[in-house]
Amino acid sequence: MELFFRGVPDIIAPEVSFTNPIDSASDVNVNGDITATFNEWMDPLTITTATFTLKNGSTIIPCTVTFDNTTATLNPINNLLVNMSFTATISKTIRDLANNSLTENKIWSFSTTSIIAKGPERVDLGLSVNFAILTKTGITNIPSSAITGNVVVSP
């Protein structure tokens, strides 16, 4: 399939414009996903576990791959090993919707930390008689909530 932009065929090779984690990142969480964002929409049939890989040394890490228009996500089946280095590779055989391939493999490395990402600690207000809520963006009653205390909204 040949795509055109203003009557001119698209012959420009796609590029990886952003990766997460970034190249040479350290202290990456062991339970996170690895993503690559492209500068244009890509052919999802070309983005697979064979063309987007993760390795620890020469060992391939089992992962699943998902894709949404411009972002490919590599999700390791298990948490990554702690305090280790990993290399992610996007094969140059990946193509855009106009059938243009990357000009070269995209390769980047990162190392993990022993910390597993968690959200903020839970604050139990169940024993409080009254408490105040300060919000900058607003409060909604979906799902329904009962607030005993003061609600303050900041600009």
Side-chain angles (χ1 to χ4, degrees), residues 6-119:
R6 294 186 181 177
V8 178
D10 176 3
I11 57 170
I12 299 171
E15 297 176 357
V16 176
S17 55
F18 179 77
T19 62
N20 186 31
I22 62 172
D23 189 29
S24 302
S26 59
D27 295 334
V28 173
N29 290 311
V30 297
N31 62 342
D33 291 337
I34 294 89
T35 62
T37 303
F38 299 89
N39 65 336
E40 61 179 300
W41 284 30
M42 303 298 287
D43 179 353
L45 298 178
T46 65
I47 301 174
T48 67
T49 55
T51 59
F52 190 5
T53 60
L54 183 65
K55 291 184 179 180
N56 172 242
S58 61
T59 304
I60 295 176
I61 306 300
C63 298
T64 60
V65 174
T66 57
F67 184 70
D68 182 25
N69 299 329
T70 59
T71 302
T73 302
L74 194 64
N75 184 344
I77 302 296
N78 298 306
N79 284 349
L80 299 177
L81 298 173
V82 175
N83 297 324
M84 298 295 286
S85 294
F86 294 88
T87 301
T89 303
I90 300 251
S91 170
K92 67 180 181 179
T93 60
I94 289 178
R95 297 184 308 269
D96 64 13
L97 293 177
N99 209 30
N100 300 309
S101 298
L102 297 174
T103 58
E104 61 186 6
N105 291 343
K106 172 66 176 176
I107 301 170
W108 71 103
S109 299
F110 61 91
S111 59
T112 56
T113 182
S114 60
I115 300 171
I116 295 178
K118 296 191 291 186

